[in-house]
Structures are given as structure tokens and as C-alpha cells.
Amino acid sequence: MQRSQIHSHGLIYHFIHMAKKSSKGVWYIMRQSEAAGGGSSVQSRPEPPMHLAVVACGERLQETLTMIKSAVLFSIKRLQLHIFAEDQLHAGFAEALESWPGFIRSRFSFTVYSISFPSENAAEWKKLFKPCASQRLFLPLILKDVDSAVYVDSDILFLQPVDRLWAFLPQFNSSQLAAMAPEHEEPRIAWYNRFARHPFYGRTGINSGVMLMNMTRMRNVYFKNDMTGVGLRWEELLMPLLQKYKLNITWGDQDLLNIIFHHNPECLLEFPCQWNYRPDHCIYGSNCASAEEDGINILHGNRGVFHDHKQPAFRAVYEAIRKYSFGADPVPSLLGPLEEALLKTTNTYCGKSHELLTRRLARSLENVQRGEARGPGRSA
């Protein structure tokens, strides 16, 4: 028996067990494999899932699916995916995710949302930086029933379980409500301290491509600012900030986040650059100490490097994960070809650091191979 339910956001319909098309041809999906009760008595509630949010517009369907693939492949606890996408991409997400094997689908649920901004300023928010990018600023206001979430750009690859990043949440002190990595480790080649025309966090700013959020705190805190002597709630802060700084910001919503945390540094936990490793960390020589020590946990292919030939080492990792077939032995079918491809990139600075790209990934794939990463909701 199929059931449907209108989501509190107003635009989202949840369909359990199957994707279904609306009269307008738009797909709204939530997969809830745990909803099938079975008939056995349940003695304790299942562990709550980790929430992972992403925004996809334009030609980002395959890139986003590859990111999700890397998240689902390694994660231990169940994932609840929140996919914000232009309407023409909804069917593609539904069909692709529902086509994955059952033992993979059992590890996650997903909801596809339409892109939405406050109606009175929607056009201005949508054109800020890249199309739809500023949607992330409104996640605490849209996902009102979600306590905490990981937001990632679509050009992210997890080389470690999402669980390891989620584990930063209990490390927040009483004032911290978000975690991000610095924009750069080396001030001499960093962007914000050399070119920014607005306040920014710390010495080199922060990069918002990977952002861990306690959204309950974000909704409740009054943020210090340079527009008024009183604190402003998150929903009160965003539009005045845009109006004040829109002629001075280059990187859109990331710049607004830098301004917010410049005035509220006690609200931010910095995590190491290995959790948001970008070409900037290797194109001028290796300058991410945590990655050199421990390997790369999250690879961020910004500037389109997953798809062009400027950083072949980054593209090699992306292609290896994209081409991997669920259920295949991951060490010979993913890691082996990747290591072979990376040896052809050693003429580049990032290619010279190829061992950093595979150190954590190799351990994660070995765990998948041995089944040691299985937890609630994971079945062979």
C-alpha cells in the first residue's frame, strides 16, 4: 500500500517505497526503506540518520550523483540526503538513485527539493555568484525539523565515511554552531587576506564547500554584526548583509559566511584542511599539513578540475569513483586502476602528492571489502 504525505516545506511530497510523478511532471521523492515494519517487535528506536545536503543546478547531475555515491559507499550510519535541485533535474535524481542495488539503497533515504528563496528577493539571491549556490544559506530556515546537517558542494568526493566528519558535532563547545576549513593554509598565496574588500574570518578566510551545521543553534542565536548594535537572527541577517556588501563580494554566499563569522568567531569550529582538500593545497607545492600527516578525507574539485585536464590527479579520483560498479571488489576494481592512473600525473605538483589522494581512500575501500564498516541499515 503506497502512502503519500505533504512535507511541511509546502513544495515537497514524500512517497514511500517508490518515486512518483506529479501532475506537473516534477519528481518529489523520499525513500524510507525502514518504513516497512516487518512484523517483528521493535524494542528500541533506530539510530537517527546523518543529514547530508547538496545543491545541484545546471549540468551538475552526474557530479552530484558521484558525490552521493562516495558518501553512501563508505558511510557507516544511515544517511538522509537533502537534494536541492532545479526542477528539470528531479527525474534524473529519482531514476538514478532508485536504480542503485537494494543493498546500497537500504543505506540512505532522500528528498529532492525545488530551489527556493525568499519571494521578495528571489531573483537577487539566485544570481549571486553561481546559479543556486546561495541556497545553502537558507538550509536552516527550510529544514526546520532537522537539528544538524553536513552541507557539501556538488564537486566533493568523500574518501572517508561521512561519520568521521559528523563526529565533529559532539566536539562543538557551547557557542559553536558550524565547522569549516580555512580557505588557505599559506597567507602568502591566499586570496582573502590579499584581495578581499570585506571582513573575513581569521587569517585567510574560510571555504564553505564543506560545512557542518548545528542548525538548531543557527536558528536560535543572535549574531553580532556591523549594521546594528543589536544581535540579529539568521533570517534577519542575510538580506541586510547582501545589501551592504553586494558590490564588494566576489565569492557570493561564501563571502557572506566569512563576514558573519568574522564578527562571530566564537561560533565557528575550524577543522583541518584534509576535510576540504582543494587544488590550492597542491598546485604551488604541498601546503596542507594535516593531509601530509594523515591523508585526504574529502577531496574538493573546485574550478571544474574533476572535468577538465588542468589537474589530472583530481580528475583521476573522480573518474575512478564514477565508474565503479556497486558490489564489485573495490580494491582491484577501483583502487588498482586509480593508482595506475595517478602514476601518469606525477609531472604535476598535485600528481606528485598522489599518495595523499589514496591513503585514506585505500583504508576505506579495504573496510568496504571486508565488511567492517557495516552498521545499522547496512546489509550485504
Side-chain angles (χ1 to χ4, degrees):
M1 186 96 175
Q2 305 300 327
R3 297 185 293 130
S4 64
Q5 172 188 347
I6 298 179
H7 190 278
S8 60
H9 182 41
L11 295 175
I12 309 304
Y13 292 83
H14 289 178
F15 290 91
I16 296 175
H17 298 313
M18 73 180 284
K20 199 167 184 177
K21 225 175 188 180
S22 76
S23 59
K24 294 182 180 179
V26 180
W27 293 74
Y28 301 98
I29 309 98
M30 180 175 181
R31 183 174 182 84
Q32 290 188 330
S33 57
E34 72 273 15
S40 60
S41 60
V42 179
Q43 302 204 351
S44 62
R45 290 185 177 182
E47 190 172 8
M50 301 176 293
H51 292 265
L52 177 64
V54 64
V55 178
C57 289
E59 304 297 318
R60 300 280 184 163
L61 175 63
Q62 183 57 60
E63 180 180 88
T64 307
L65 287 169
T66 305
M67 180 281 292
I68 294 172
K69 187 178 188 179
S70 71
V72 171
L73 182 62
F74 303 130
S75 292
I76 300 167
K77 290 194 293 189
R78 281 180 54 80
L79 283 167
Q80 171 65 57
L81 305 175
H82 302 274
I83 304 167
F84 292 81
E86 291 175 307
D87 290 350
Q88 65 267 26
L89 300 180
H90 289 197
F93 278 113
E95 291 163 6
L97 295 173
E98 288 291 330
S99 73
W100 288 358
F103 75 96
I104 294 294
R105 294 200 312 269
S106 68
R107 300 177 186 178
F108 68 93
S109 304
F110 68 97
T111 309
V112 178
Y113 304 78
S114 291
I115 299 294
S116 62
F117 297 107
S119 56
E120 63 272 20
N121 308 108
E124 195 162 7
W125 283 114
K126 186 159 187 178
K127 70 182 181 183
L128 181 66
F129 193 46
K130 295 179 181 177
C132 308
S134 56
Q135 179 75 81
R136 83 183 84 183
L137 295 175
F138 298 94
L139 296 183
L141 309 180
I142 295 171
L143 302 176
K144 294 180 179 179
D145 297 325
V146 177
D147 175 68
S148 297
V150 173
Y151 164 84
V152 294
D153 287 347
S154 59
D155 53 0
I156 288 290
L157 291 172
F158 288 92
L159 308 184
Q160 277 274 282
V162 180
D163 310 63
R164 310 287 185 248
L165 181 60
W166 195 256
F168 279 103
L169 281 169
Q171 298 180 33
F172 283 11
N173 64 28
S174 59
S175 64
Q176 290 168 336
L177 48 77
M180 284 180 273
E183 170 70 12
H184 219 289
E185 305 304 302
E186 175 48 68
R188 290 175 297 176
I189 54 176
W191 192 89
Y192 278 105
N193 56 290
R194 293 190 297 155
F195 304 116
R197 296 178 295 158
H198 58 79
F200 57 90
Y201 174 87
R203 290 194 311 155
T204 60
I206 44 176
N207 184 282
S208 60
V210 180
M211 184 176 179
L212 182 60
M213 299 178 285
N214 182 319
M215 297 197 296
T216 299
R217 291 184 179 182
M218 292 176 76
R219 288 185 285 262
N220 293 334
V221 163
Y222 287 87
F223 292 88
K224 298 187 292 292
N225 60 88
D226 58 2
M227 298 170 294
T228 174
V230 299
L232 296 176
R233 301 280 282 271
W234 191 260
E235 67 268 24
E236 300 168 331
L237 184 63
L238 297 177
M239 196 61 210
L241 268 184
L242 178 61
Q243 294 296 345
K244 178 171 182 175
Y245 287 106
K246 63 183 176 182
L247 299 179
N248 294 320
I249 58 178
T250 302
W251 308 111
D253 51 303
Q254 176 172 289
D255 290 348
L256 295 181
L257 289 167
N258 265 281
I259 296 167
I260 291 170
F261 289 108
H262 168 84
H263 294 293
N264 301 271
E266 73 283 357
C267 293
L268 187 72
L269 172 70
E270 270 190 54
F271 49 62
C273 50
Q274 67 186 132
W275 290 102
N276 188 349
Y277 190 93
R278 293 168 289 114
D280 286 330
H281 290 117
C282 53
I283 56 176
Y284 306 112
S286 184
N287 58 63
C288 176
S290 62
E292 291 173 23
E293 182 178 342
D294 247 353
I296 297 166
N297 294 332
I298 292 179
L299 192 67
H300 187 174
N302 63 331
R303 302 179 185 171
V305 297
F306 285 157
H307 312 293
D308 60 27
H309 297 285
K310 294 178 181 177
Q311 295 300 332
F314 278 68
R315 182 170 180 170
V317 180
Y318 175 82
E319 289 296 324
I321 293 175
R322 183 183 68 82
K323 293 175 181 177
Y324 171 70
S325 296
F326 285 121
D329 191 334
V331 173
S333 61
L334 194 163
L335 185 61
L338 172 58
E339 289 177 332
E340 186 176 338
L342 287 172
L343 288 176
K344 300 174 184 177
T345 71
T346 54
N347 60 318
T348 67
Y349 274 121
C350 293
K352 286 183 173 68
S353 301
H354 66 87
E355 190 271 336
L356 304 183
L357 292 165
T358 57
R359 188 185 302 170
R360 285 289 180 179
L361 177 63
R363 296 178 195 172
S364 298
L365 291 173
E366 287 168 3
N367 286 339
V368 172
Q369 186 183 49
R370 294 194 301 262
E372 291 181 359
R374 287 184 190 148
R378 304 192 84 172
S379 57

